[in-house]
Amino acid sequence: MAAEQAQEAAQHVDVQAEAAKVIDHVSSLDMNQILNDYLIPYGTKILLAIAIFIFGKWIARFISNLLGKAAFASTKDEMLQSFVKSISYFLLLLIVVIAALSQLGINTSSLVALIGAAGLAIGLSLQNSLQNFAAGVMLLIFKPFRKGDLIETGGMTGIVEQMGLLVLELRTGDNKTVLIPNGKVFSDSIVNNSNNETRRIDFTFDISYDSNLKQAKEIIARILADNSLVLKNPEPVIAVGALASSSVQLVVRPWVKTADYWTAYWGITESVKLEFDHAGIEIPFNQMALHLPENASVSVNK
């Protein structure tokens, strides 16, 4: 016990002696020596590192904006412009940070190796995110749609608002925002309803077997001819599509401009219904007709 106390007392004395040496060394320095040996060199490095970071950040943003404008000028694609700006700014800012740390005397080679190892670990843990990122790059390369297009993908229909690094943002017809992972979009079928200037509307109108078929076709032809949204070329198609069990199915195929699709669809549907009612052409609905012989008797057991 006494030996341990003696050892602790000796260590305490050694600490006091080292502290006294440091105090004596600092007290022996004058302000000029402190200024020349410590404040000026290290302060200069810190100020230069801060200047490199601030100026480099501005340069990175300037270059990324130029690259984004160049991408938009060559493709007229706002989504590609945003993608190029984001990626280039991130990579340039990473270079600026490494340069600023190098100015402070930090070994950046080991830092780069550390970033690479961390990137590998993050990549293994975020495989789905990297898949979405790669899918986003492929979508930007092949460009199956642009901002403002009406598309169907991933079980959703909406207008393309923007495509980020990981998700595609759609705005549905009832003004909801839907985010779909890029990987799901790329692996699924994509229907672009806005890619072409014109679209065909597919109608199927049912009339009863007792109705006048020629009159029904003439009414539909007149409605299409009077509708200013229906294109004259290609000419609309009006034909008997099928003889169903309870109706004659008329297939109608007019062409319209893509922007007029729904306006023409709703207008033609309403006009056909009103004209059929006026002409006495019956549009059948599901019903059951029971025909009994005149001499048949019906008995009801109670």
Side-chain angles (χ1 to χ4, degrees):
M1 190 67 176
E4 292 179 357
Q5 292 179 351
Q7 185 177 2
E8 291 178 358
Q11 291 177 352
H12 184 67
V13 171
D14 292 339
V15 170
Q16 289 181 339
E18 291 294 332
K21 289 180 180 180
V22 172
I23 294 173
D24 292 340
H25 177 70
V26 173
S27 61
S28 62
L29 296 175
D30 57 6
M31 285 302 299
N32 291 331
Q33 188 175 1
I34 294 175
L35 189 64
N36 293 328
D37 294 345
Y38 297 100
L39 294 181
I40 292 179
Y42 290 105
T44 303
K45 289 183 177 181
I46 293 174
L47 291 176
L48 285 176
I50 294 174
I52 290 174
F53 178 76
I54 295 175
F55 184 71
K57 185 178 180 181
W58 181 83
I59 290 293
R61 188 174 299 278
F62 178 75
I63 294 176
S64 63
N65 287 334
L66 286 181
L67 293 175
K69 291 179 180 179
F72 181 76
S74 60
T75 63
K76 303 301 179 182
D77 192 338
E78 294 184 3
M79 293 189 301
L80 180 61
Q81 179 188 18
S82 177
F83 183 84
V84 170
K85 284 177 60 177
S86 300
I87 290 297
S88 59
Y89 179 72
F90 174 79
L91 295 177
L92 291 172
L93 187 61
L94 182 62
I95 296 174
V96 169
V97 171
I98 293 176
L101 293 177
S102 177
Q103 180 61 36
L104 293 176
I106 299 176
N107 188 359
T108 55
S109 59
S110 59
L111 178 62
V112 172
L114 180 62
I115 293 175
L120 178 61
I122 294 173
L124 293 176
S125 61
L126 298 176
Q127 294 183 9
N128 291 334
S129 298
L130 291 178
Q131 179 184 0
N132 292 328
F133 175 80
V137 174
M138 298 302 293
L139 289 172
L140 288 172
I141 293 175
F142 291 105
K143 294 192 287 291
F145 50 79
R146 298 176 182 271
K147 183 177 180 181
D149 286 353
L150 176 64
I151 67 171
E152 302 173 25
T153 184
M156 301 298 300
T157 301
I159 298 175
V160 178
E161 289 293 311
Q162 63 178 350
M163 191 178 74
L165 298 179
L166 302 178
V167 296
L168 172 68
E169 181 180 334
L170 296 181
R171 177 168 52 84
T172 61
D174 53 353
N175 206 29
K176 294 179 181 177
T177 299
V178 180
L179 301 179
I180 306 177
N182 289 337
K184 185 176 182 180
V185 176
F186 187 71
S187 61
D188 197 4
S189 60
I190 302 173
V191 179
N192 192 334
N193 296 312
S194 304
N195 195 42
N196 299 315
E197 294 183 359
T198 60
R199 286 185 64 184
R200 191 185 71 184
I201 306 178
D202 295 344
F203 291 107
T204 300
F205 297 116
D206 293 299
I207 64 174
S208 67
Y209 280 95
D210 296 332
S211 299
N212 190 323
L213 177 60
K214 291 185 177 180
Q215 183 184 14
K217 294 178 68 175
E218 291 173 356
I219 291 174
I220 295 174
R222 186 175 68 253
I223 291 174
L224 297 181
D226 293 341
N227 193 313
S228 60
L229 300 180
V230 176
L231 301 177
K232 307 302 180 183
N233 187 23
E235 293 184 358
V237 173
I238 305 173
V240 176
L243 300 177
S245 59
S246 59
S247 65
V248 177
Q249 293 183 349
L250 293 177
V251 174
V252 181
R253 301 288 185 263
W255 287 81
V256 298
K257 292 183 178 180
T258 301
D260 299 330
Y261 181 89
W262 287 111
T263 303
Y265 182 94
W266 294 324
I268 294 172
T269 302
E270 181 178 353
S271 296
V272 168
K273 175 63 171 66
L274 295 176
E275 290 293 332
F276 277 7
D277 290 345
H278 181 72
I281 297 176
E282 180 184 355
I283 299 176
F285 54 90
N286 291 331
Q287 56 184 327
M288 180 181 291
L290 182 61
H291 300 276
L292 295 175
E294 293 182 357
N295 59 353
S297 61
V298 179
S299 61
V300 180
N301 295 327
K302 295 184 179 180

